[in-house]
Amino acid sequence: MKLQRKNRLRATALGALAVSGALVLTACGSDDNSSDKTSGGNGGTTSAASDITCDDAKGQLLASGSSAQKNAMDLWVQKYMAGCSGVEINYKSSSSGEGIVAFNQGTVGFAGSDSALKPEEVAESKKICKTGQGINLPMVGGPIAIGYHLEGVDSLTLDAPTLAKIFNGKIKNWNDAAIAKLNSGAKLPDKAIQAFHRSEDSGTTQNLGKYLGAAAPSDWTYEAEKKWPAPGGQAAAGSAGVAAQVKQVDGAIGYFELSYATSQSISTVDIDTGGSAPVKASSENASKAIAAAKVKGTGKDLALDLDYTTKADGAYPIVLVTYEVVCDQGNKAETLPTVKSFLTYTASDAGQKLLTEAGYAPIPAEINAKVRETIASLS
C-alpha cells in the first residue's frame, strides 16, 4: 500500500511539473514562429492571443500626459509589454499640459492630451518634428463624471446651470433651492458644498469648461482653458487627487474620468440635459455623444468637434476625448517603430475593447479607421 501511494504521489508531482512547464512555455513564447505567435506585417511578430504586432519595436519608449487615460494606458502597457519582450513603455500620468510641454521639448515619443493642440502648440511642435508637425489622434473616449460624497444621498441630479453655480461658488449649500428643485423628495442636508478642481493645467478641466460654457453660458462666463478659471474651491493634483478628496470628504463634489469613480465606488451625478430623462455617466451613454463628433482637424490631424449641448436621449454630454499627440513626420528614428507598434495596438479592435471593460468609451469605428490609417503613415 505504501509503495502504491508513493507511485501515485510521484505521478501527480510529475503531472504538475508538466503542466507548470507548459504554462511557462506559453507565457514566455519562443524565438520561432510557433503556435503562440504568427508572422505579422512588415516582418514583425504578432501575438495570436492579443493581436499585437511588435514589428521593429525595441528598447524604452517614454510618454506622458493626460491622467484621465491613466487606467486605460496601464492596461494597454501591460498587455503590450507581455506581447513584445524587450520593449518597455513608460507612460507618466501627469496632466495634458505637462504632456504637451514634454512633447514639444522632445523628451517623449508621444503625449496624451484631453484637448487638441492649440495653433501655437502646433507651431512649437515643428521645432521637434523637423519635417512635420504635431497632430492629434483620438484614442480614448469617456465621460467626465461629476463625483460627489454626501452621506444619506444615494442619487443626485444636476443640470449645467446648477453645476456652473456650484463650481464658481454661487451655490454654497447642498440644500440650496436650485438643487432641491432637481431632486424632488431627496433629503438634502444643510451642509456646505466643498468643490474640488484640478491644481495643474488639465484637459479634463478644459473639457468641463467647454460643457459648462456651451450648456450654461450665462452662468459660466470663463474661457475654456486648461487652468481652473473660477474663484474659490479647493485644488488637488491629477484626476486621482480630486477623486481621493471626494472619496474622503463628506459634502465634496469634483470631476474626473469615470474609471476613478468606478474603482473607488464614488457616487456620480446624473445630468439633466433637457431630454426625456436625466442621463447617467456611463461608457455607453458617453459613446452616444461621441458618435456625433465631427473631425475638425485638417490633413492628418484628427481633432474632433464635440457637441456639449446634446439633448439626445441617453447621450451623456460631459465627455472628453484623449488624443495621443505625435509627429506626422520627423519622428525620432530610434522611437518611431515602437510608437507605431504601440499605437497600432491601442487603436486595434483588441485595444479599443479594453476601454469598455475599464469604464471608458471606444472611439467610433469610422473615426478610428482614420486613426489607424494615420498611424500606419507616420514617418
Side-chain angles (χ1 to χ4, degrees):
M1 289 296 291
K2 289 184 178 180
L3 181 60
Q4 289 177 342
R5 184 170 181 272
K6 285 182 179 180
N7 287 338
R8 284 199 302 271
L9 289 172
R10 186 178 184 185
T12 300
L14 289 172
L17 284 171
V19 171
S20 176
L23 289 173
V24 170
L25 289 172
T26 300
C28 296
S30 63
D31 292 332
D32 60 17
N33 291 331
S34 68
S35 59
D36 279 342
K37 294 191 176 183
T38 57
S39 177
N42 302 320
T45 302
T46 301
S47 168
S50 60
D51 296 327
I52 297 172
T53 303
C54 303
D55 287 334
D56 298 318
K58 60 183 178 181
Q60 185 183 61
L61 174 64
L62 300 179
S64 69
S66 165
S67 64
Q69 71 169 354
K70 177 186 183 300
N71 295 329
M73 193 61 69
D74 286 348
L75 287 172
W76 281 334
V77 168
Q78 179 185 17
K79 295 282 187 181
Y80 181 83
M81 288 174 56
C84 295
S85 60
V87 183
E88 180 182 352
I89 309 294
N90 188 340
Y91 181 81
K92 179 184 177 183
S93 172
S94 51
S95 69
S96 298
E98 292 177 52
I100 291 173
V101 168
F103 177 77
N104 281 340
Q105 290 177 341
T107 60
V108 295
F110 70 89
S113 177
D114 304 327
S115 293
L117 292 168
K118 295 179 180 179
E120 59 267 29
E121 292 170 337
V122 173
E124 186 73 13
S125 73
K126 293 179 180 180
K127 299 176 184 177
I128 296 301
C129 298
K130 305 296 185 186
T131 57
Q133 65 180 41
I135 58 172
N136 305 282
L137 301 178
M139 197 67 69
V140 181
I144 300 174
I146 306 299
Y148 73 96
H149 179 175
L150 196 56
E151 296 295 338
V153 179
D154 299 324
S155 177
L156 186 68
T157 295
L158 297 173
D159 59 12
T162 308
L163 272 174
K165 291 172 186 174
I166 287 173
F167 280 118
N168 66 16
K170 292 182 179 178
I171 291 180
K172 303 180 182 297
N173 236 49
W174 279 109
N175 63 351
D176 187 275
I179 301 176
K181 184 177 178 181
L182 291 165
N183 296 273
S184 178
K187 294 182 179 179
L188 298 169
D190 182 8
K191 184 182 292 290
I193 295 173
Q194 299 196 52
F196 287 89
H197 58 263
R198 293 281 290 275
S199 60
E200 75 287 3
D201 286 3
S202 161
T204 310
T205 294
Q206 188 172 35
N207 278 277
L208 176 65
K210 288 178 180 178
Y211 163 72
L212 293 174
S218 60
D219 297 298
W220 193 262
T221 57
Y222 312 98
E223 291 294 323
E225 299 291 347
K226 293 186 177 74
K227 186 176 183 62
W228 182 256
Q234 301 176 62
S239 292
V242 175
Q245 290 299 319
V246 173
K247 175 76 172 179
Q248 294 169 12
V249 178
D250 186 19
I253 189 169
Y255 58 94
F256 32 80
E257 195 279 323
L258 180 62
S259 66
Y260 289 91
T262 303
S263 63
Q264 299 186 50
S265 300
I266 297 172
S267 298
T268 60
V269 171
D270 296 344
I271 302 299
D272 184 343
T273 64
S276 62
V279 186
K280 293 186 178 300
S282 72
S283 298
E284 180 182 1
N285 293 343
S287 292
K288 292 178 182 177
I290 295 171
K294 305 296 182 183
V295 175
K296 65 178 180 180
T298 58
K300 293 183 179 180
D301 184 80
L302 298 176
L304 300 179
D305 188 13
L306 298 168
D307 181 7
Y308 295 99
T309 61
T310 180
K311 292 180 174 60
D313 287 348
Y316 184 81
I318 318 177
V319 294
L320 61 75
V321 168
T322 298
Y323 301 95
E324 311 311 339
V325 177
V326 296
C327 295
D328 57 355
Q329 299 178 56
N331 289 277
K332 293 180 180 178
E334 61 269 28
T335 57
L336 176 61
T338 308
V339 168
K340 292 180 71 171
S341 172
F342 180 66
L343 294 184
T344 294
Y345 166 61
T346 64
S348 70
D349 289 339
Q352 290 290 296
K353 183 180 178 182
L354 282 179
L355 294 180
T356 301
E357 297 171 359
Y360 293 90
I363 299 301
E366 183 179 348
I367 297 172
N368 194 42
K370 296 178 182 178
V371 173
R372 295 180 190 182
E373 291 174 9
T374 303
I375 293 170
S377 72
L378 299 179
S379 62

